[in-house]
């Protein structure tokens, strides 16, 4: 399969869904990881995502261990354009070293919002500790290991914790109830369940 064509086909699918239900869907756009730093064609790709496909961010990027450096050109392009949020899968097969490398990129491009998907997997505690002082880092709660992990994330970074369910692997209703059961107030629950992502994407 041609990886670039596969991404174009996927983008078209997402774009069609957004156009059909603009009041229900917002898209993040896929970007090939084969670009080198400073490649002008990457900027053209990102501009097409935003202007033609109406995407609000870049990702989800799912990498193997040791591949985080491949994201730097994406960070640079996102930094130059708006900037755009980047969503990165931080569950297996990434390990703690990979997540730490991602955090270094997060610090280097401090104007780029970075969403750590799936809470860092089994490394959720270290991930929360890393990103709680990085104002451009966000935590997606899908696939949380324990309700304690969810509770700690909400307490530590209530303004940067984002509801997600990873459907069909996770149950949206159960995650919704978990958030409601582990928040200190209705205001915090509203932030996690939609307010934070709405603010991030300027919806």
């Amino acid at each position: 399969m041609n990886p670039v064509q596969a991404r174009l086909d996927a983008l078209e699918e997402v774009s069609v869904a957004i156009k059909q239900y603009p009041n229900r869907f917002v898209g993040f756009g896929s970007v090939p990881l084969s670009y080198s730093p400073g490649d002008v064609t990457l900027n053209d790709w990102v501009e097409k995502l935003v202007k033609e496909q109406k995407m609000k961010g870049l990702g989800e990027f799912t990498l193997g261990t040791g591949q985080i450096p491949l994201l730097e050109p994406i960070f640079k392009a996102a930094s130059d354009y708006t900037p755009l949020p980047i969503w990165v899968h931080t569950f297996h097969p990434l390990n703690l070293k990979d997540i730490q490398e991602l955090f270094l990129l997060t610090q280097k491009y401090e104007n780029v919002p970075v969403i750590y998907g799936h809470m860092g997997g089994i490394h959720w505690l270290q991930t929360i500790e890393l990103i709680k002082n990085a104002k451009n880092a966000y935590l997606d709660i899908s696939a949380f290991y324990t309700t304690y992990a969810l509770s700690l994330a909400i307490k530590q970074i209530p303004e940067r914790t984002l509801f997600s369910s990873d459907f069909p692997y996770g149950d949206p209703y159960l995650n919704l109830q978990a958030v409601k059961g582990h928040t200190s107030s209705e205001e915090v629950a509203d932030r996690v369940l939609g307010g934070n992502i709405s603010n991030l994407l300027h919806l």
Side-chain angles (χ1 to χ4, degrees):
M1 181 183 293
N2 182 319
V4 173
Q5 189 58 49
R7 282 177 170 79
L8 289 171
D9 292 344
L11 282 169
E12 183 59 27
E13 252 187 87
V14 174
S15 182
V16 168
I18 293 170
K19 288 174 182 175
Q20 287 180 332
Y21 305 99
N23 61 326
R24 304 210 47 185
F25 292 111
V26 171
F28 272 52
S30 180
V31 181
L33 292 171
S34 55
Y35 289 108
S36 58
D39 191 329
V40 293
T41 56
L42 174 55
N43 292 333
D44 292 340
W45 183 289
V46 171
E47 185 165 351
K48 182 177 180 179
L49 283 179
V50 175
K51 291 190 174 179
E52 294 182 24
Q53 305 282 359
K54 308 298 183 186
M55 298 299 170
K56 296 288 189 180
L58 306 177
E60 174 184 5
F61 294 100
T62 305
L63 302 122
T65 184
Q67 294 185 324
I68 291 296
L70 293 174
L71 286 175
E72 180 143 22
I74 311 295
F75 270 77
K76 179 68 169 62
S79 177
D80 292 342
Y81 200 107
T82 306
L84 289 169
I86 294 177
W87 191 306
V88 183
H89 173 102
T90 60
F91 205 89
H92 180 81
L94 295 194
N95 57 36
L96 181 57
K97 184 176 184 293
D98 296 315
I99 294 171
Q100 290 167 338
E101 287 183 356
L102 177 61
F103 183 68
L104 292 177
L105 282 177
T106 303
Q107 290 181 306
K108 182 175 180 178
Y109 296 91
E110 59 184 4
N111 67 325
V112 176
V114 184
I115 300 170
Y116 287 63
H118 319 302
M119 295 186 71
I122 62 172
H123 307 292
W124 56 267
L125 183 60
Q126 296 95 328
T127 302
I128 292 171
E129 186 65 27
L130 275 174
I131 73 174
K132 70 179 182 181
N133 294 317
K135 300 303 182 185
N136 60 322
Y138 293 77
L139 198 64
D140 149 50
I141 68 165
S142 64
F144 58 84
Y145 260 72
T146 71
T147 53
Y148 178 68
L150 172 66
S151 176
L152 184 65
I154 293 171
K155 286 176 182 175
Q156 293 287 323
I157 44 174
E159 73 287 354
R160 289 182 284 119
T161 297
L162 310 175
F163 174 80
S164 185
S165 67
D166 205 26
F167 184 82
Y169 307 106
D171 188 314
Y173 179 77
L174 293 179
N175 280 23
L176 177 67
Q177 295 305 310
V179 169
K180 288 182 176 180
H182 289 85
T183 47
S184 57
S185 69
E186 188 173 332
E187 177 190 358
V188 173
D190 288 344
R191 280 185 176 187
V192 175
L193 293 173
N196 290 336
I197 191 67
S198 294
N199 290 338
L200 174 60
L201 302 182
H202 307 291
L203 300 179

